[in-house]
Structures are given as C-alpha cells and as structure tokens.
Amino acid sequence: MEKPIFDYGVNTTRRHFLSKLSLGLGSAALGSLLIPDLFKGGGGEPDVNELMAGLPHFAPKAKRVIYLFQNGAPSQLDLFDYKPMLNKMHGQDLPESIRGGQRLTGMTANQAKFPLAGSIFNFKQHGKSGAWMSELLPHMAGIADDLCIIKTLNTEAINHDPALTFFQTGAQVGNRPSFGAWLSYGLGSENQNLPGFCVLLSRGKGNGQGVYSKLWTNGFLDSVHQGVQFSSGENPVLYLNDPDGMDRTQRRKMLDNLAELNQGTFNDFGDPEITAKVQQYEMAFRMQTAVPEITDMSKEPESIVKMYGPECLVPGTYAANCLLARKLSEQGVRFVQLYHQGWDSHGGLPTEIKGQCMDVDQASAALVTDLKQRGLLDETLVIWGGEFGRTNYCQGTLTKDNYGRDHHPRAFTVWMAGGGIKPGIVYGETDEFGYNIVKDPVHVHDFHATILNQLGLDHEKLVYKHQGRRYRLTDVAGKLVKGIIA
Amino acid sequence: MSRILSDWKGYVYNIAFFLNGLLVFLLFFESRFAVPQWMQALGRVHPLVLHFPLVVLILYSLWVMIVRKPDSHTWNEGLADSLLVIGTFTAAVAAFSGFVLSHEEGYESDTLLWHKWLGIAISLAAVVWYGARKSLLPWTVGAKVVAGAFLVLLFVGGHLGGNLTHGEDFLISPLGPSAEPVQHVAFEEAKVYEHLVKPVIEQKCLSCHNEEKSKGGLQMQTEALLKKGGKGGKLWDTTKADLGLLISRLHLPLDDKKHMPPRGKVQLTEEEVVLLAAWVKSGSRFDQLVSSLSPQSPVYSYAQNVLGGDRTEEQYAFSAASADEVQKLNTNYRLIKPLSAGSPALFVNFYNRANFKNQDIEGLLPLKDQIVSMDLSKMPVKDEDLKALAKFPELRRLILNFTDITGGNLTELKKLANLRELSLSGTGITMAHVKSLEGFPALRRVYLWSTGISPQDLETLKKGQKIAFETGFRSDTLVMALNPPVITNEKQLIGKGETVAMKHQIAGTVIRYTLDGSEPDSSSSPVYEKPIAINGNLKLKARAFRKGWYGSTQVSKLFFKEGFHVDSAQLITPVDQRYHAKGAASISDGKVGDTERVSGTWLGYVENDFQSYLFFKKPVKASVVTVSTLRSFGSFIFEPTRIEVWGGADPKTLKLLKVISPGVPAKDIPGTENIVYEAGFEPQQLSCIKLVAKPLAKIPAWHAGKGNKGWLFVDEVIVN
C-alpha cells in the first residue's frame, strides 16, 4: 500500500524520473556549451507547433497523397490484366506448374479442382501506352494517358486483415503507425486548420470486408499523427459546431482556460499526451471555420457535378468522398485516404463487380482530371488499388456467365497518377495465366519506398526509435521502383 | 666471352649506329615503305621500348647538368658512359619501332609529325653525342648546353607521344573544372544527338577516333564525320539485323577482337549501348528532340535518367533566407516552407479566405529572392495585387485559381523571368489576356479551366506551341442521368400528424411522385412541394427531373398508416422457432416494412397456419385490417393462400368479417417485396379481432422446391 501512495506523492515513476534527470542534466550541459547565453533570462520563443517540424529530405515531386483504397480486393483479371489465355482455357484446371504451391485460403483449400475462369468482360487498349482495360472502366480508360498502371504488385498476405494492415502500416502485425501517420510525423501538415491525415469511408453493394481504426492509427508515434475519420453522414465531422447559445469568443475563452488547467497537469505529470490533447483542441477550434467551407457541397458548379457524377452530392458515397478528397487536398491536407468496401467477390463476381465499378469508375477518373485542370496533379499523388488480387481460377461453381474468384497475393494491379510518377505507361508483366510475375515485380515495401521518395523522403531515413529499435514504414526492406519515376 | 662482355658497349653502339642508318635510309624512301604483317609487331614494341631512352637519357642529361670537374676523372664516369650508350641504343630501337608503328592505320596528324621528327632527332643526336663524347666532356659548358637541349627534346617529344595515346588534356583535366557529365539542359529542350548520344561518344570513343588519332580511319567528332564512316564503311545500316558496324561492334562479346571499345579501355554501360542502338534503329537523326519521343522509347527513359527527368532538381543560384525572417513571416494562414531540408528555395501557401489581406503579399517581399512558388488559390486576389506579385523575381510557379483577377495587369507578370507555370483556372480572364501570355519569357504551362473563355476559343489554343495549355474538363456537351430523390423518412409506419418527406441534393430539381403505384413521369405526375400527409397505406414512387439532365431512376417505398393501439396480441398457433421474432408482440410493435427476412421483425410459419388474436380493452371502430407479409420466392417465402378476418366482442363471439384469397402464384417473380393485404369490411365496434392466414401448402411445379410446404412471413397487423 505504501508504494502507490508514495508514487502518487512524487507524481512520477522511477523510470520517468531517472530518464528526465539524465536527459535534463545532459541536455542542459550540452546546451550551455553550444549556446553561450542559454542560461540568460529573456523572452522565450512561442512553442513551435509540432506539426510544422518536418521537412522533406530532398526536393519532393509530390506534396500530397490521395489514396483511393479499394477494400476487398478488386479483380485485376476483370479490370486491367487482360489474359485471353484464360478465356481459351475456360473451365480447365489450373496447372500445378503455374500454381507452384501457392498457399490457398481456407475457402478454396478444399476445392477439388481449380477451374480457370476467363473474364466475361471485353477488353480494349487505350491511350498511347496501349493499356488494356475492360469495358467496366470507361472513364478510367479515358484518362489512360495520365495513369501509370503497375500490374505486378505482390504481397505475402493472403487474407484481408493482414493484407490491409500490411498495406497501411508496412507490416502484417498490427499496431504500427499507418502511412498517413508516418507522413504526418515526417512532413507535418501544410494547413494548420485541418488535420494532416483524413480518412473517408464508403460502402459498395458488393461483398464487403470491414475496415477499422487500426489502419489509420498512429501506432507508437505521437497521437497527434492519428488519422481523422470523417463520418459518412450529413455532418462529416461530428460535434464540430458550437452548441446553441455558445459563440466563438466564448469558445475561445473556454479553450484558453482549459489549456491553462491542462498545462498545470502537464507540469505535474509530464505526460506528453496532455500536450497532444491541447493541440487537438486547438486544431478542432481552427477546424470549426475551415471545415464547413470544405464540406459544403451545395456551391459546387454543375460542371463539377457532371464530372464526378450526381452521386457526388450524396454524402457517404464514393463519389462524394472523391470530391471531398479533392477539396481537402486542395486545402493542404497531406494524406487523404478513401476506403470503398465491397470488392470481395468470392461469388457472383460479374454482378458485384459491375456495381462496384459503377460506384468508383467515374469519380476516380474525375478526381484525376479535376486535379489536373487546377494545375495540382503534378504535386498530388493519386493511388488506386486494393490489398491483393484475385485468382484466375473460379471459387465455387463455374458457369458460362457466373464465377467467383478467391484471394491472390502474387500479382495484382494498382495505378498511380500525378505526383511525379510517369504518366501513360504500363509497368510490369504477369504470365499468360495472370498468376505469376514475369517482369518487374513491385513488392508492398517497394511501393511504400517509392511513394515516400516522391514525397521527398528517403524511406531508410524516416525512422522512429521505439522499444530499442529504429522502426520505419518499409521495415527492413523496400527498393525504389525507378521505372515508374518520371 | 668475357671479352665480348667487356666490349659490350662497342657492340651496342654499333647496333644503334646501324639502326639509325637504316632509319635514315627508310626515311628517304618513306613513301614507298609498306609495313609487312610480321613487321607490325616490331612497330608495336614502341610503346614498350620508348620508356628506356626517356629514362636513361634524362638521367644522363641531368647528371651532365650537375656534374663538376671531379678530383678523379673516373668518378661515375663509367656508369655515365654506360648510361649514354644504353640510352643511345634504346633510342634507336624506339625511333625505329616508332617509325614502323607510324605506318599503321590511324595515325595521321600534326602531333604525330612533331613527335616523329623529335623522336628521330633524339635518336640521331644521341648517336652523335656518344660518338663525340670524348670531346664533349661532361663538366664543360658545351656539354651542359647539349644536355639541356636534350632534356627539352625528351620532354617535349615524350609529351607529344603521350598526347597521341591519351589525348591532349589528359594530365591536367582532373584539375580543371569538372567536366559536365550531364549538361544542365531542360528536358523539354534536350536533343537526342546533342545531349544524349554525343556525350557518350565523346567520353568513350573520341579518344581513339578523333582528328589526332583516327583508328580504322574513323573520326567521330562531328556529324559529318560520323556519317562518313571509316575504313570499314558507314557506321550504321538500318536494313541489317545488327544495325550496322557501330552497333554490331558494341554488341560483340568483350573477348572478341573486334569488340568496341577495345578491351582495356572504358566500356560503355548497358544503358548507353541500348541508347545508341535505339538511336541508330530510329534513323540516327541529329535533329530530334527528346520530348517528341514516346515515353515507351528506351531513349526517353535514358534521357530521364541522365537529364533528371521532367523536372531537374533545380540548382538555385541564390542563397537561403534567414530562418528568423521565415519564422517571423510564417502564420497559420500563410505558410512559408523550404522545398526540402537544405534547399534555399521557399514555397508559400495561403489558406482561409476570410483571413487574407492584400498586404500579405507585400509582406513577403523580404523573402523575394528565395520564393519560387506561391499558391494563392481561392484568395481574394485582385488585379492590383499582380503588380506586387511581379516583384518576386525568382517565382517559377504561380497558382491563382479562383481568385478575383480578371486579367488586367496580367502583363505585369512578364517581368518574372523565371515563371514557368501559371494556373488561372476559375478566374475571369479572357482570350485576349491569354494571347498576351505568349510573350512571357519562360512560361511553359498554363491552366485555363473554368474561365470565361468559350470552348471554341479554347480549342484554338491546343495547337503545339511553346506553351502547353491545359483546358480541363468540358461539361457543356455532356448529358447525364440524375440520381433519384431521397425519401427522408426512416420508418414506414406513419403516425398521426407525421408526414412523408423527400428531397434531392441537386438544387433546382423537380421531384414528381405517384401514390397509386403508377410510374411517375415528368409531365403529368404531381410535383412534390411539401411533405405528404398520409390517410391510408400508400405506395410512394418518385423520380427526379431537371433541364439538361436525363430523368432519374425511380425510388419507391411503402408507408403504413398507424392504426389503433393494440392492447395485447396473442398467437394461437405456434410460430416456427427459426423465425419467432418477439412472438406476438412483433405483430403490433410498429416495426413494419423491412424486407430482410432475417431482421428479426418477421414471424415465420411453415408447418401451420398463422392465427392470432388482437385485443382492445376499449372497443374500436374498425373498418380495415392491414396485414403486412413478405414475398421472396427465391427464399421459398410465398403469399398466403387465404386470409380470414374475424371480429367480435370477445373470442367466443367472433364473426367472419372478410376473406381474401390471393391464391397460388402462377410464375416466378424475382426479388423480395413487402406485400400488403387490406381487408376492408363494414365499420363496427370490435374488442377482439382474430386473424387467420394460411401458408402455401404445396409449392407449385415451376418452383425449385415443388411439392414442399411454402413459408408465410408476417410482420405486422394494423387495424384502422
């Protein structure tokens, strides 16, 4: 009973005390060596906001990222990877030589046969690069000259949770900081009135898989870097407006007083979470004026509505999120992430994927065009893709016009636009079965390294020491994919 | 033997003398001298042998220069004498072999001429010196003069020889300014030959194929000479599979004798070989711009790597601003940051229109020498402010999207000598202003979306000029379908005083609706203006219309009028345990209209009829009983074949009030739908109502489950 009371009385644990002592004394000594008049009195500088700290390591091509994440894994064989061999061998078993012992999910592990399923959709070539795209994506086909289509993404994860976690945090184990959190840590936010990392969710009618806050967590980084999830309803940021009867000056006074109280607690306990909390309150205060301007869709001109499709005015849809993403990015939000659920077509793929594509095709293409016509595409990196691909063999019963596909991590397609990525090319090749990679593989780590490079960060230098080792987004791997960098 | 050895100097001298004589003889008949194959080897020892006379004779000459009259005249004299004779001999060999070598291919130039004659001069002079050494004693002035002359000859001649093999500036080139391996030329202006191919040739080929030294008769320093080719003929031939001499030699294995560059010299990198092959294959043109190539071409990707891509990381000529100054001028609404750690260049972004003041631009003038990019989009920037912007000489990028400028003063920006990118989307500028942009010195890209300029005028801009105009999405010709209106009611049971409301997100849309189950159309159906009051159960269908758009698809919903409050309900027959919901309470809980069979609001019956009592403590004047059922043939859920409504004061005094016989369905109807039956009868006071509904006893033949029992799902009974 004595020790807890003692600890409370001292207001600190042994660890805190010793580390504070040694760091404090040491840094004081060093400081006085480097700065001759350190111990002189004088007006202190105002606290530089943590979020302003970071600078890129070298001149960046892109300043912001919009990541259109297609949750559930869209079928690359029905969208981007044209494999007529599959149509020719429709119904035949997948040769073991091609499969090469790839592990299967629990869903298809008990299947006796793996009949190949050719896509029932027509493919055509588009753009100067002659990129193949199916009839499901007419609008994306229209901007083929702006896209860099990478067909050879690969990952080790075979199920959604580890694969999603891998893509968002750089490791299949959870609780590492997410991409946006690393960027917030490394570069800070451009606009102090908005969070640096925003997450927008939408749901398609297809078979959906969940998304969860682990994917935009700050992990072991400061909680200031956490992604802010916008709600899908009429008010994207809940509880942002002052309650009736309270106006802004009152709010300001309240926050000032609250900050004083919190500062007192911080002086007692030294918990950095307290300062983080104070900063979040301040950010929310600034967001009160900045956000309504952005989320007000009623003033959008008709040309914009036509470009994104009328769905863009219905809050909570993918199109609305794309429009909101453009607006947020335009205002300096560093990383905007969209999740569109419903791509997990284990069965009934033709119907489900049609619905999904109707949801995303026009709006994704519109987003790229919209950024381009504002002169922002060069400094904004737009990414579209899922967490893995789908198999070339059918899951469940295969009929002439209906099939399902299981998860396939070995090769799948992701496209990127803007942000200093080469436009109008197709990178990488898969074999004629669409199963293995033949040329230029791009692993998730390589993908992350390249994106960080475009933002002016050396992926090996953006580290954070935690539990004795220096963590980074690309863990211990990752090579730049030079072939897609313009 | 020992006699020969002690007399060796004599022999050596004689051989030297002979060689010199032979050399002089051959010089007279040089024009007729042709080197036979076997003798070429003799010529080739020249680079080996020449080192000896150089070293030895320099050593000897130096000794002569510094020696004084000795006390004993045998001091070092023996050694010196040997040096001279060896030097003479090796000079003769070197000169002779040099002479033979000079007749090989590829050596025709001034340097060669000088080197040759100097070499021969040295050789002859050495022979003479040895012969006259007794009269030219080393410590005499005369000897020293001769020695000095020799040194000069040796150094100059030797140096020229070095020039022949290694190039003129071989010695001092590392000391000078670093040779620009990559010319800092902008990507858009780079030429394929000038900036990509030529550097490779200069670095890797020119040392042996130039004016001074032209192996194989080939010189490569100019376009004309390249085209001319050498002894082997033209360098390229696109009709051949190996693309001709140049490329085939590059592609040979390193061990091959004919491989170029020769083994031992710096080799071309793989990318350089690919570059040259692609260049030759495309016609070895000397005038082509890199930017005109397709991004797929290997030449293009080589260019991107070497020239640094579309945007070279620009080296800025100015130094960084003071951090204090930047910190002072930084606010929450005007962000100033360097491009990257260590870069002197700054970019400025403005946020929050309400906080913008025009002085904010002028306030940045202390940093005018470092600001390279400014983003003023959505700020209330006016034409007058453009004058202030013109004061920032280092601006390369200026974004003025959706500002209040109209184009006046736009020419002020002409002063910006570095301005490359200008974005004017969403402003009021006109075509005339756009034309004035042509005069801007460095402008390469202009964004003109959503300005007042007509689409026809914009079309005229697209022709390839110095400036690339981006005009954005054109929506005036596009007609699309609207999205359907949104029915805002969450629940489908409408109480007293409640209404049914709809809305549409796009302003100016007209919503037309029907209540009778017919399809709404844009001309005859009533227009929705205010929420609809409900008198009985109704099926609402609505569509949205707007000029310039196709009409939307239909949205429909079923609404029920709330009935008398049921005091208690009792199920007479057992409900199937799989779909028991909340038992009797479910049929009067107000939750109706949900079409999800597993939602927990439906009661399912398959083995027996649905029979229930509804009790009212106080008798109600009832005239219609509404039964809400589900139809989903795919889930084996069918409409009841018969519904009976009984009513009375208590369970024992019930009278049959109404029978509805929906019958057996004749064919498949896909999907799931809420089917409502309204049993109307004479209005009367009732305290107890009994409801009977029979599920389909035998599924008809057209259904997959033929012969089995069908399901009946009921979720609500409403008494009105």
Side-chain angles (χ1 to χ4, degrees):
Chain A
M1 256 331 260
E2 294 245 315
K3 188 168 180 312
I5 299 177
F6 176 70
D7 273 344
Y8 183 77
V10 179
N11 268 348
T12 182
T13 62
R14 189 166 54 215
R15 178 182 294 178
H16 272 146
F17 177 73
L18 285 175
S19 59
K20 264 238 186 105
L21 180 70
S22 53
L23 287 174
L25 285 179
S27 47
L30 181 65
S32 65
L33 280 177
L34 295 176
I35 305 170
D37 41 30
L38 180 66
F39 290 116
K40 257 199 219 154
E45 251 184 82
D47 235 30
V48 178
N49 195 331
E50 251 195 36
L51 290 180
M52 291 278 272
L55 280 178
H57 300 142
F58 45 85
K61 301 266 170 74
K63 292 227 186 88
R64 296 173 286 272
V65 180
I66 301 180
Y67 194 162
L68 307 169
F69 197 86
Q70 312 303 318
N71 184 24
S75 164
Q76 78 282 12
L77 294 166
D78 294 285
L79 297 173
F80 296 103
D81 215 357
Y82 177 49
K83 298 293 165 194
M85 172 71 102
L86 295 177
N87 294 76
K88 245 194 338 188
M89 293 182 62
H90 189 92
Q92 293 178 39
D93 215 22
L94 172 69
E96 186 56 43
S97 57
I98 301 291
R99 206 192 110 203
Q102 163 70 31
R103 66 170 163 157
L104 304 166
T105 70
M107 295 173 275
T108 45
N110 293 325
Q111 257 181 227
K113 292 177 54 101
F114 300 102
L116 293 173
S119 173
I120 62 168
F121 301 105
N122 292 322
F123 277 77
K124 274 222 291 275
Q125 287 183 284
H126 297 276
K128 284 201 216 120
S129 58
W132 288 97
M133 281 201 240
S134 83
E135 57 183 312
L136 292 168
L137 301 171
H139 293 92
M140 282 192 214
I143 56 161
D145 284 328
D146 292 317
L147 304 180
C148 168
I149 302 176
I150 309 168
K151 294 217 210 157
T152 49
L153 254 298
N154 59 83
T155 172
E156 284 85 34
I158 199 165
N159 212 342
H160 296 285
D161 183 18
L164 275 170
T165 314
F166 198 11
F167 253 98
Q168 302 306 330
T169 68
Q172 290 188 45
V173 305
N175 261 320
R176 298 256 180 108
S178 55
F179 206 130
W182 279 110
L183 286 183
S184 173
Y185 163 70
L187 296 174
S189 177
E190 270 189 278
N191 187 347
Q192 284 305 300
N193 310 308
L194 289 171
F197 179 13
C198 295
V199 178
L200 308 169
L201 306 178
S202 58
R203 190 179 280 211
K205 295 200 197 62
N207 183 24
Q209 290 293 329
V211 286
Y212 18 77
S213 58
K214 174 173 48 151
L215 302 174
W216 49 87
T217 182
N218 52 298
F220 42 72
L221 296 175
D222 216 39
S223 58
V224 162
H225 304 301
Q226 188 184 40
V228 173
Q229 183 194 344
F230 280 39
S231 144
S232 318
E234 290 276 336
N235 287 319
V237 182
L238 299 170
Y239 312 119
L240 191 61
N241 296 318
D242 290 324
D244 287 336
M246 180 183 238
D247 67 19
R248 212 153 148 76
T249 38
Q250 284 184 311
R251 168 72 71 183
R252 185 67 253 167
K253 271 172 67 179
M254 186 271 275
L255 284 176
D256 288 336
N257 291 330
L258 189 61
E260 247 185 77
L261 286 172
N262 281 329
Q263 185 65 28
T265 318
F266 177 70
N267 291 337
D268 287 339
F269 287 97
D271 188 352
E273 278 300 311
I274 298 177
T275 42
K277 192 101 184 200
V278 172
Q279 275 178 28
Q280 302 283 43
Y281 283 135
E282 292 298 322
M283 163 76 80
F285 183 70
R286 290 194 291 269
M287 275 168 74
Q288 281 187 311
T289 42
V291 170
E293 190 192 314
I294 295 180
T295 53
D296 182 9
M297 298 293 189
S298 62
K299 297 210 187 66
E300 290 301 319
E302 186 153 322
S303 57
I304 292 288
V305 177
K306 276 197 186 170
M307 191 164 64
Y308 283 85
E311 285 271 286
C312 71
L313 296 179
V314 181
T317 55
Y318 181 80
N321 285 345
C322 278
L323 180 55
L324 184 57
R326 187 267 291 162
K327 297 175 88 166
L328 286 170
S329 184
E330 204 179 7
Q331 289 293 319
V333 175
R334 185 74 69 185
F335 194 92
V336 181
Q337 186 152 47
L338 271 65
Y339 285 91
H340 189 63
Q341 298 159 276
W343 290 94
D344 196 23
S345 354
H346 286 282
L349 188 145
T351 341
E352 281 191 12
I353 206 174
K354 263 199 219 133
Q356 293 295 112
C357 287
M358 294 250 298
D359 286 342
V360 313
D361 178 44
Q362 187 174 5
S364 311
L367 177 64
V368 175
T369 315
D370 202 6
L371 288 167
K372 190 171 177 187
Q373 67 195 8
R374 288 163 199 267
L376 296 174
L377 188 61
D378 283 336
E379 55 178 35
T380 315
L381 179 60
V382 183
I383 311 169
W384 188 103
E387 64 263 41
F388 39 63
R390 302 209 85 87
T391 54
N392 52 3
Y393 56 83
C394 174
Q395 175 175 2
T397 337
L398 173 65
T399 66
K400 197 158 54 91
D401 47 10
N402 195 18
Y403 49 89
R405 296 194 195 275
D406 201 0
H407 305 162
H408 185 60
R410 262 199 209 170
F412 56 104
T413 306
V414 162
W415 63 249
M416 300 214 246
I421 296 287
K422 258 193 220 169
I425 64 163
V426 176
Y427 186 79
E429 272 171 42
T430 49
D431 66 9
E432 46 190 9
F433 286 87
Y435 202 87
N436 295 310
I437 295 175
V438 167
K439 199 163 80 103
D440 301 328
V442 176
H443 189 260
V444 178
H445 286 310
D446 302 330
F447 172 75
H448 286 156
T450 314
I451 297 174
L452 286 175
N453 178 67
Q454 295 306 101
L455 288 154
L457 295 166
D458 184 339
H459 71 104
E460 291 176 354
K461 291 215 187 94
L462 183 65
V463 294
Y464 186 85
K465 189 159 177 196
H466 172 69
Q467 288 185 338
R469 93 143 154 124
R470 283 175 183 79
Y471 284 86
R472 62 185 210 227
L473 177 63
T474 47
D475 208 15
V476 293
K479 285 196 319 284
L480 289 185
V481 184
K482 296 234 169 72
I484 61 171
I485 299 177
Chain B
M1 193 60 191
S2 56
R3 246 196 63 194
I4 298 174
L5 279 179
S6 59
D7 252 343
W8 66 273
K9 286 191 207 169
Y11 287 112
V12 167
Y13 179 61
N14 280 312
I15 297 173
F17 192 87
F18 163 71
L19 279 177
N20 274 300
L22 181 59
L23 184 60
V24 167
F25 172 75
L26 288 174
L27 278 171
F28 273 112
F29 296 103
E30 195 171 356
S31 52
R32 295 196 220 182
F33 181 63
V35 181
Q37 194 75 354
W38 58 266
M39 220 177 167
Q40 278 194 3
L42 211 58
R44 294 201 169 202
V45 303
H46 177 70
L48 163 65
V49 188
L50 66 89
H51 294 90
F52 289 93
L54 273 177
V55 172
V56 174
L57 286 173
I58 288 180
L59 211 53
Y60 181 72
S61 305
L62 283 175
W63 178 80
V64 169
M65 296 280 284
I66 60 173
V67 79
R68 292 168 188 279
K69 183 165 179 170
D71 297 327
S72 154
H73 69 271
T74 57
W75 174 72
N76 272 335
E77 211 178 320
L79 178 62
D81 207 47
S82 308
L83 279 182
L84 185 56
V85 76
I86 292 170
T88 308
F89 169 68
T90 47
V93 173
F96 186 80
S97 61
F99 175 75
V100 173
L101 183 64
S102 72
H103 279 265
E104 251 196 57
E105 299 296 333
Y107 294 103
E108 300 114 23
S109 69
D110 281 347
T111 318
L112 178 68
L113 220 56
W114 274 99
H115 176 73
K116 175 175 161 187
W117 288 106
L118 280 174
I120 292 168
I122 292 171
S123 177
L124 289 173
V127 147
V128 168
W129 196 2
Y130 187 79
R133 71 194 183 286
K134 288 285 176 0
S135 39
L136 208 57
L137 291 173
W139 43 86
T140 57
V141 174
K144 292 194 199 294
V145 167
V146 170
F150 249 89
L151 280 173
V152 170
L153 283 179
L154 285 165
F155 272 107
V156 173
H159 179 68
L160 288 175
N163 279 1
L164 276 177
T165 22
H166 291 289
E168 292 232 348
D169 51 355
F170 180 70
L171 199 63
I172 47 171
S173 69
L175 300 172
S178 59
E180 286 140 34
V182 171
Q183 287 179 288
H184 283 289
V185 60
F187 190 83
E188 297 87 48
E189 281 148 33
K191 287 210 181 138
V192 177
Y193 172 70
E194 186 77 31
H195 301 111
L196 298 177
V197 176
K198 192 152 163 227
V200 174
I201 293 182
E202 276 174 358
Q203 277 168 33
K204 308 272 169 89
C205 316
L206 214 51
S207 53
C208 293
H209 292 286
N210 58 38
E211 203 179 22
E212 309 282 312
K213 177 167 161 181
S214 41
K215 297 296 238 168
L218 170 67
Q219 290 182 44
M220 295 176 88
Q221 64 268 32
T222 68
E223 194 180 314
L225 286 166
L226 272 175
K227 283 196 194 155
K228 189 166 132 210
K231 235 185 35 145
K234 282 206 186 310
L235 285 179
W236 44 73
D237 185 351
T238 45
T239 62
K240 298 228 306 249
D242 63 5
L243 296 173
L245 209 51
L246 175 68
I247 306 298
S248 61
R249 289 275 191 121
L250 287 175
H251 279 144
L252 284 173
L254 188 56
D255 301 342
D256 195 306
K257 270 201 308 190
K258 287 189 188 282
H259 171 85
M260 277 292 136
R263 207 148 66 130
K265 303 266 185 207
V266 183
Q267 296 293 314
L268 267 73
T269 65
E270 226 180 277
E271 290 90 23
E272 287 169 346
V273 176
V274 169
L275 166 74
L276 288 180
W279 177 63
V280 166
K281 193 157 175 202
S282 64
S284 25
R285 291 168 50 189
F286 291 89
D287 57 348
Q288 213 179 15
L289 281 170
V290 176
S291 46
S292 68
L293 296 169
S294 120
Q296 312 295 332
S297 147
V299 180
Y300 194 89
S301 25
Y302 178 85
Q304 291 194 314
N305 289 332
V306 164
L307 297 175
D310 239 316
R311 282 168 291 120
T312 47
E313 176 150 352
E314 203 176 334
Q315 310 297 323
Y316 297 104
F318 47 80
S319 55
S322 92
D324 286 332
E325 192 71 53
V326 176
Q327 195 58 28
K328 211 167 49 162
L329 293 172
N330 232 316
T331 71
N332 269 336
Y333 305 104
R334 179 178 65 186
L335 178 75
I336 309 171
K337 262 189 142 169
L339 280 190
S340 70
S343 172
L346 300 171
F347 70 88
V348 184
N349 284 354
F350 289 82
Y351 301 109
N352 231 326
R353 200 187 160 95
N355 291 70
F356 181 79
K357 295 180 286 298
N358 302 69
Q359 297 92 302
D360 286 340
I361 301 178
E362 297 259 339
L364 288 168
L365 279 173
L367 297 171
K368 69 175 168 60
D369 289 320
Q370 281 84 18
I371 295 180
V372 302
S373 165
M374 241 199 263
D375 185 344
L376 288 154
S377 44
K378 305 217 176 127
M379 295 296 124
V381 177
K382 303 209 190 350
D383 289 334
E384 298 92 64
D385 299 312
L386 290 175
K387 285 208 199 103
L389 284 171
K391 295 195 194 136
F392 292 83
E394 296 290 340
L395 266 183
R396 278 133 175 91
R397 192 159 168 261
L398 186 56
I399 302 184
L400 293 165
N401 295 345
F402 294 96
T403 53
D404 297 339
I405 66 170
T406 53
N409 287 337
L410 195 63
T411 41
E412 290 280 330
L413 298 177
K414 220 179 193 166
K415 296 187 197 142
L416 301 172
N418 286 304
L419 187 67
R420 279 202 219 117
E421 217 175 291
L422 182 60
S423 185
L424 297 164
S425 297
T427 58
I429 68 165
T430 65
M431 197 62 193
H433 297 119
V434 174
K435 291 255 192 313
S436 73
L437 292 173
E438 305 273 333
F440 281 47
L443 199 56
R444 292 284 169 272
R445 248 200 279 185
V446 177
Y447 296 91
L448 287 174
W449 170 70
S450 192
T451 56
I453 306 175
S454 72
Q456 291 82 2
D457 282 336
L458 286 178
E459 284 293 311
T460 63
L461 284 174
K462 292 228 175 201
K463 320 295 179 197
Q465 291 150 320
K466 201 176 54 153
I467 303 179
F469 289 98
E470 179 61 52
T471 51
F473 182 76
R474 221 186 125 158
S475 63
D476 52 329
T477 49
L478 201 60
V479 185
M480 298 175 68
L482 283 170
N483 49 336
V486 174
I487 299 176
T488 49
N489 294 63
E490 294 250 343
K491 55 188 174 76
Q492 286 169 264
L493 192 66
I494 311 296
K496 242 199 216 19
E498 287 177 2
T499 50
V500 174
M502 289 192 282
K503 69 167 191 183
H504 197 279
Q505 289 90 356
I506 301 183
T509 326
V510 169
I511 303 177
R512 289 191 185 264
Y513 68 98
T514 62
L515 298 172
D516 53 4
S518 61
E519 306 299 319
D521 78 58
S522 53
S523 45
S524 53
S525 307
V527 175
Y528 175 80
E529 254 137 49
K530 56 186 202 311
I532 308 169
I534 168 170
N535 304 332
N537 301 334
L538 53 78
K539 190 175 177 75
L540 175 67
K541 290 195 185 183
R543 289 177 70 191
F545 298 94
R546 191 162 186 255
K547 197 161 92 85
W549 295 74
Y550 295 130
S552 76
T553 52
Q554 185 184 281
V555 63
S556 70
K557 215 159 183 185
L558 208 52
F559 289 100
F560 302 87
K561 179 151 175 251
E562 202 179 47
F564 293 112
H565 173 73
V566 175
D567 289 307
S568 68
Q570 182 189 340
L571 294 178
I572 307 167
T573 55
V575 65
D576 192 291
Q577 276 313 299
R578 284 169 283 183
Y579 297 99
H580 61 83
K582 293 202 189 65
S586 287
I587 53 173
S588 58
D589 61 358
K591 292 202 179 51
V592 70
D594 179 351
T595 49
E596 200 49 59
R597 79 183 146 83
V598 295
S599 63
T601 56
W602 294 94
L603 297 171
Y605 290 85
V606 68
E607 296 295 329
N608 45 263
D609 297 349
F610 162 70
Q611 291 189 22
S612 83
Y613 287 126
L614 295 169
F615 293 109
F616 302 92
K617 282 212 190 79
K618 274 176 37 192
V620 295
K621 189 153 182 214
S623 59
V624 66
V625 171
T626 308
V627 183
S628 165
T629 66
L630 191 65
R631 180 194 69 211
S632 178
F633 291 163
S635 306
F636 289 42
I637 303 173
F638 295 85
E639 299 119 310
T641 48
R642 186 182 165 87
I643 298 177
E644 293 170 7
V645 180
W646 300 70
D650 55 67
K652 295 193 181 46
T653 57
L654 294 173
K655 273 192 346 226
L656 182 59
L657 296 172
K658 184 78 184 200
V659 173
I660 301 179
S661 303
V664 176
K667 64 175 174 41
D668 190 17
I669 304 172
T672 307
E673 216 182 314
N674 192 192
I675 306 293
V676 173
Y677 297 97
E678 291 180 11
F681 45 84
E682 276 296 314
Q684 51 193 275
Q685 296 283 10
L686 296 169
S687 296
C688 171
I689 293 181
K690 176 176 168 189
L691 205 57
V692 177
K694 294 184 188 301
L696 186 60
K698 206 161 117 181
I699 297 179
W702 53 262
H703 192 278
K706 61 177 184 282
N708 291 322
K709 292 201 175 122
W711 281 83
L712 168 66
F713 270 47
V714 179
D715 77 334
E716 197 77 2
V717 178
I718 305 167
V719 181
N720 266 301

